Amino acid sequence: MDRIELTGERPIAAPGGLTGAEVAERRVPGGNRLPEQGAPSPVRLLVQQFVHFFALLLWGAAVLAVVGGMPQLGVAIVVVVLLNGGFAFVQEHRADRAAEALRDLVPHRVTVVRDGQRQEVDAVDLVVGDLVLLEAGDRLAADLVLHEVHGLRMDEAMLTGESEPVDKAGGDSGSAGCFVVEGEASATVTAIGGDTRLAGIATMTRSVQRAKTPLSRELDRVVRTITVLAVGVGVGCFGIGLLLGLPAGEGFLFAVGVTVALVPEGLLPTVTLSLARGAQLLAREQALVRRLESVETLGSTTFICTDKTGTLTQNRMAVVTVWTPAGRVEVTGVGYEPTGEVTGPAAAIEAARGLARAAVRCSTGQIRESEDGWTASGDPMEAALDALARRVGAPAPDGEPATRRFPFDPRRRRMSVLAGGELSVKGAPDAVLPRCTTAADAAEEVARLAAGGLRVLAVAVRTVDLPPTADADEAEQELQLLGLVGFEDPPRAGVGPALTECRRAGIRVAMITGDSGATATAIARQVGLWQEGSSRIVQGAELPPDDAALGALLDRDGLVVCRVAPEDKLRIAQALQARGHVVAMTGDGVNDGPALRAADVGVAMGRSGTDVARQAADLVLLDDHFATIVAAVRQGRTTFANIRRFLTYHLTDNVAELAPFLVFSVTGGAVPLAIGVLQVLALDIATDLLPALALGAEPSTPRVLDGPPPRRRLVDRHLLTRALGLLGPVEATVAMTAFLTVLVSAGWSYGQTASGTALATASGAAFTAIVLGQFANAFACRSSTRPAWRLGWRSNPLLIGAVVVELVVLVALLAIPPVAELLGHRPPSLLGLAIAGCAVPAVLAADALAKVLGARRGTEGRRAGR
């Protein structure tokens, strides 16, 4: 058997690899490339913004406007659709590049043995059966099976979720995309390109369909309702007009106008801009929204499945306790910073320095200062040992070169280095303590540290002159125990209060992790996720195959699911959705892609996450913090409430706009039309839009997280009753009163044809009444329980500004002759203006009275319930 040298220090026995002829024979079309999926065409993404249900409704309204002889109105509606679609496209134009990000994880060059010679080749040229040589820092280019292994440890977190490097032995497998942390090995390629596990996850991610958001479903329902209402009223008006003697042609055009008038052209841009506003606020909270509709969906979340490492914890290993025979030393510090506080007996601190020196001598990981502060280079645990040595003041090793190294071996579960006649050993306590001559009380201390959720490492030394032929088992005997080191991945600050907020909000939280059960449970207890009596721990292997049984098992608060596979996370999301939950799933690795895509809200990590996870997610946490999810839920609920606010505002306006058409139809034209279709469009776009947008920016209330998320629909009976049965009729009554009063004062009587000037002046009064009524309505819609004057005027300054701007717009629409002539009205008379002004107190008084009566009925209902 040939011997192939990896580093010049240790030879590894391996076969001579494939021959050139065998490589040529095994080469496949496409080589070692992941299957490519073309990014969605920007043109296609843009077109999608113009063909959803609401946009189609507006397109239909534009066509009807043109058919009805109102081309200006048709053009205006088209402009609204185009502007809104363009804005939404710009906001959401982030290509779905999960497969492309996966390809970036495969290295470009790899070391192989061919024809008995070591050589570097392009990763794309690998074939099944190739002999690959691995060393620290390499990323696997294909699926492999390991042969001869020397202290190999591999980071598989992006595939398995396991936060710690995994020890590998001969015969073990390795997956494309994983990273070699330390050690060396030879391996044979078993799968390339589309046959790798990495490609399988890519395929799974692409095959998972995104769940339709609750907002999409509700908006579809609203649009269907508006469509039926608009068409129904239009047909009804046409029929009534015919019965009352209106000519068929004129009746048809009139019915088209009514139908178009009932379509809330301003609703679509208001929804889009409100969601964009929520996304902007979330960005300030370190949450990046990739799909606008996810802003509202967050508010509907009922179950959060969260990772452990980096989300609930800091993802920074740190030494917190050192036990030595001389005593215990407690260590505190921030992350990997080399400074910190060390407390304990002087003798114990001195012993800890010796322990730290020995531990660093047989480590390769260390801490380094970078633009992001002090970070780990290499194994996080070994970097933590380097930080410990600096914190306790242990001088760096004297620089004597290591004469012998015995790398970490999964069988021995320890490693050692001989330098200057001293052998330094570190490893698992049960692998080191039996080889120590003195280990009194150490076993009890190991149990105590492990019970606290700490990872424990034993460090020992031996002064020895080893013969060249001695192996590790011979060298690592008669050791002197220096002590034990306790590591933790500290919980993030703020996680505990965030979990309390979740419980107050009726949101269940489960930890889904690839780590061990003991570690996961310890962290769950530390952060407050674990609840005695109700929480339980479930191994991934114990998850039932039946989805219904799986959902029943998972549907509880404080659950800890450990050792999960990618398929498990996908099934977990789907099982909870089947039980009616709106699921938010966090993830940072390639393995999380399918689950993130299937969840109602996929939440990826911005700092530690892979590109794959970020591209598959709806929300990216820029700080990787669980508390940011709760802040996002708060904003989501606020967005839901704000959408209801401006829906009430828009629907109220529609009633006032519809009333003149109904009066005209019912009277057979005896009462002139108070406002025309172009005036309706001006109300929807020119005067209503800014106040509606300001309502969409209404800030959160302190009680927004009190209780479970609202199960009510976006448009329910309460909203419709308030808008269509109260506020709208009040506005309509004042508007028609102003219109008729001005007409009568000009000498008009029922059934007569009004003069052009009188009709335009009266129409201006009706138009002004609706606008002023909407100003009052905007303040009334800020709360569904409190009158407008009991709300803080300064809490939403945007609304004040919007009303001032729209007041200026109203004056412009009335006073600029070309605009007023186009719309068909003139400035109202003083009498008409006085009556129109009554719309403000009338709307506010009606709203306050309804809220007082509603509160009284609620109080009586609660008393009766007792």
Side-chain angles (χ1 to χ4, degrees):
M1 181 177 291
D2 296 328
R3 300 178 68 81
I4 307 301
E5 188 172 274
L6 291 180
T7 65
E9 293 183 6
R10 295 189 299 278
I12 287 185
L18 299 177
T19 65
E22 290 173 324
V23 171
E25 183 181 346
R26 300 186 182 201
R27 188 165 285 134
V28 296
N32 183 33
R33 288 189 177 93
L34 292 173
E36 297 187 9
Q37 180 190 30
S41 166
V43 175
R44 179 182 176 186
L45 292 176
L46 181 61
V47 170
Q48 288 176 351
Q49 304 298 332
F50 302 128
V51 295
H52 55 76
F53 202 178
F54 207 159
L56 292 176
L57 174 62
L58 293 181
W59 285 120
V63 171
L64 287 177
V66 174
V67 171
M70 297 169 284
Q72 304 98 322
L73 176 60
V75 171
I77 294 175
V78 169
V79 170
V80 170
V81 177
L82 293 177
L83 288 177
N84 181 81
F87 179 81
F89 170 74
V90 171
Q91 288 290 317
E92 296 192 1
H93 181 41
R94 293 182 178 90
D96 196 355
R97 298 182 299 106
E100 294 180 18
L102 280 167
R103 290 196 296 274
D104 293 340
L105 295 175
V106 177
H108 299 294
R109 302 286 289 178
V110 62
T111 303
V112 299
V113 177
R114 289 178 178 173
D115 294 318
Q117 299 294 320
R118 172 184 177 134
Q119 53 186 287
E120 280 194 0
V121 299
D122 289 336
V124 70
D125 291 331
L126 279 181
V127 298
V128 174
D130 252 329
L131 177 62
V132 177
L133 304 182
L134 302 173
E135 58 185 26
D138 288 346
R139 191 178 290 278
L140 275 61
D143 287 356
L144 312 167
V145 62
L146 301 172
H147 299 313
E148 191 166 347
V149 173
H150 283 259
L152 189 71
R153 305 186 73 199
M154 198 173 291
D155 182 356
E156 298 180 333
M158 64 177 219
L159 287 176
T160 66
E162 172 63 61
S163 61
E164 289 301 309
V166 178
D167 303 320
K168 292 292 186 178
D172 290 347
S173 62
S175 298
C178 293
F179 186 77
V180 177
V181 175
E182 65 176 73
E184 301 168 333
S186 63
T188 297
V189 174
T190 57
I192 62 172
D195 295 328
T196 62
R197 184 182 180 191
L198 189 63
I201 295 176
T203 301
M204 188 190 306
T205 301
R206 291 195 300 268
S207 66
V208 175
Q209 296 296 319
R210 290 191 185 274
K212 195 168 187 178
T213 65
L215 179 62
S216 294
R217 295 192 293 268
E218 282 298 296
L219 285 178
D220 285 350
R221 177 175 170 269
V222 170
V223 172
R224 285 194 298 269
T225 302
I226 291 176
T227 301
V228 172
L229 178 64
V231 173
V233 172
V235 171
C237 287
F238 178 68
I240 294 174
L242 290 179
L243 291 175
L244 296 178
L246 200 66
E250 187 176 344
F252 172 75
L253 296 180
F254 173 73
V256 168
V258 172
T259 302
V260 174
L262 280 174
V263 176
E265 291 85 2
L267 181 57
L268 182 57
T270 305
V271 171
T272 302
L273 292 172
S274 176
L275 294 175
R277 167 73 176 174
Q280 182 184 34
L281 294 176
L282 284 176
R284 297 176 186 174
E285 298 282 350
Q286 298 297 304
L288 176 65
V289 176
R290 296 194 64 252
R291 287 204 302 163
L292 285 182
E293 290 179 353
S294 300
V295 175
E296 187 278 333
T297 309
L298 281 161
S300 305
T301 299
T302 60
F303 207 109
I304 298 175
C305 298
T306 177
D307 280 341
K308 175 185 70 67
T309 304
T311 308
L312 301 179
T313 68
Q314 298 179 20
N315 195 23
R316 293 181 174 183
M317 295 299 296
V319 175
V320 294
T321 299
V322 177
W323 177 89
T324 71
R328 182 179 296 110
V329 175
E330 302 298 331
V331 184
T332 58
V334 178
Y336 291 112
E337 291 185 8
T339 58
E341 184 178 352
V342 180
T343 58
I349 293 177
E350 184 60 34
R353 292 191 181 104
L355 177 149
R357 279 194 298 270
V360 169
R361 186 180 292 279
C362 54
S363 299
T364 56
Q366 57 185 321
I367 59 174
R368 291 180 179 174
E369 189 173 15
S370 65
E371 294 179 356
D372 298 326
W374 288 88
T375 58
S377 174
D379 189 306
M381 188 174 289
E382 292 185 346
L385 289 172
D386 184 25
L388 168 67
R390 303 189 192 205
R391 288 172 182 172
V392 299
D398 55 20
E400 286 194 52
T403 55
R404 295 290 299 276
R405 291 180 181 272
F406 300 101
F408 186 91
D409 185 292
R411 178 185 59 82
R412 293 168 33 246
R413 302 179 64 217
R414 58 184 181 272
M415 68 172 297
S416 57
V417 172
L418 180 65
E422 183 176 78
L423 184 74
S424 300
V425 183
K426 66 178 174 68
D430 58 352
V432 175
L433 295 184
R435 292 178 170 265
C436 295
T437 56
T438 56
D441 301 327
E444 294 181 4
E445 189 65 22
V446 170
R448 188 187 72 82
L449 294 174
L454 302 182
R455 289 185 171 89
V456 185
L457 195 69
V459 181
V461 296
R462 178 190 180 189
T463 302
V464 63
D465 183 13
L466 286 179
T469 58
D471 60 14
D473 286 333
E474 295 177 57
E476 297 164 347
Q477 295 185 27
E478 299 179 356
L479 303 176
Q480 176 190 350
L481 179 66
L482 297 182
L484 305 170
V485 183
F487 300 81
E488 76 167 359
D489 182 2
R492 281 184 176 272
V495 170
L499 286 168
T500 301
E501 288 278 271
C502 284
R503 294 191 172 108
R504 179 166 72 93
I507 300 172
R508 297 183 175 184
V509 182
M511 179 194 296
I512 314 294
T513 178
D515 273 350
S516 68
T519 301
T521 303
I523 293 297
R525 293 181 186 276
Q526 290 178 34
V527 301
L529 175 64
W530 189 271
Q531 292 185 303
E532 298 297 338
S534 61
S535 293
R536 63 172 296 181
I537 184 168
V538 180
Q539 298 284 338
E542 299 173 356
L543 297 177
D546 179 70
D547 288 343
L550 176 62
L553 174 66
L554 299 172
D555 199 356
R556 66 178 68 209
D557 189 34
L559 183 72
V560 175
V561 186
C562 59
R563 299 299 189 194
V564 295
E567 298 80 5
D568 294 331
K569 297 190 76 169
L570 177 59
R571 288 189 60 224
I572 287 170
Q574 293 171 337
L576 290 171
Q577 288 171 327
R579 290 179 67 86
H581 282 291
V582 177
V583 179
M585 176 74 73
T586 73
D588 56 6
V590 176
N591 62 316
D592 297 322
L596 293 177
R597 197 175 180 91
D600 296 285
V601 182
V603 183
M605 303 299 110
R607 290 184 177 177
S608 61
T610 62
D611 287 342
V612 179
R614 288 191 287 267
Q615 290 296 328
D618 305 295
L619 185 75
V620 179
L621 303 184
L622 302 180
D623 58 0
D624 293 8
H625 201 313
F626 179 82
T628 304
I629 302 177
V630 181
V633 170
R634 181 184 295 108
Q635 182 58 47
R637 290 197 181 184
T638 300
T639 300
F640 178 86
N642 288 346
I643 292 176
R644 284 178 56 87
R645 289 185 176 103
F646 61 68
L647 272 173
T648 305
Y649 179 81
H650 277 301
L651 292 177
T652 299
D653 193 29
N654 275 16
V655 175
E657 294 166 352
L658 177 64
F661 291 90
L662 291 178
V663 171
F664 178 83
S665 176
V666 169
T667 61
V671 175
L673 196 59
I675 59 174
V677 176
L678 287 178
Q679 287 170 292
V680 169
L681 184 64
L683 288 169
D684 285 346
I685 302 300
T687 64
D688 274 2
L689 191 56
L690 285 183
L693 291 175
L695 285 174
E698 189 73 21
S700 298
T701 65
R703 300 180 59 186
V704 71
L705 289 181
D706 286 351
R711 291 289 186 176
R712 61 187 177 186
R713 294 186 178 277
L714 199 59
V715 176
D716 56 12
R717 185 176 64 178
H718 178 268
L719 187 151
L720 291 175
T721 300
R722 188 174 176 215
L724 305 183
L726 176 66
L727 300 177
V730 169
E731 275 190 22
T733 300
V734 175
M736 291 306 299
T737 301
F739 175 73
L740 293 174
T741 301
V742 172
L743 275 184
V744 171
S745 67
W748 172 85
S749 60
Y750 183 82
Q752 292 182 347
T753 301
S755 68
T757 301
L759 182 60
T761 302
S763 181
F767 185 85
T768 302
I770 295 175
V771 172
L772 295 180
Q774 281 296 91
F775 287 172
N777 184 31
F779 290 99
C781 288
R782 292 187 62 197
S783 172
S784 60
T785 58
R786 291 186 293 168
W789 55 82
R790 291 188 178 178
L791 302 173
W793 296 102
R794 297 180 180 179
S795 58
N796 189 353
L798 291 177
L799 185 57
I800 302 292
V803 169
V804 171
V805 171
E806 294 302 345
L807 187 59
V808 174
V809 172
L810 170 63
V811 173
L813 293 177
L814 291 170
I816 298 177
V819 177
E821 183 178 352
L822 175 66
L823 296 178
H825 62 213
R826 297 183 64 184
S829 62
L830 289 178
L831 176 61
L833 185 61
I835 298 175
C838 293
V840 174
V843 170
L844 293 178
D847 174 70
L849 180 61
K851 289 172 179 176
V852 169
L853 294 177
R856 184 175 300 172
R857 285 194 297 269
T859 302
E860 293 174 352
R862 286 193 294 272
R863 289 175 178 172
R866 294 197 188 105

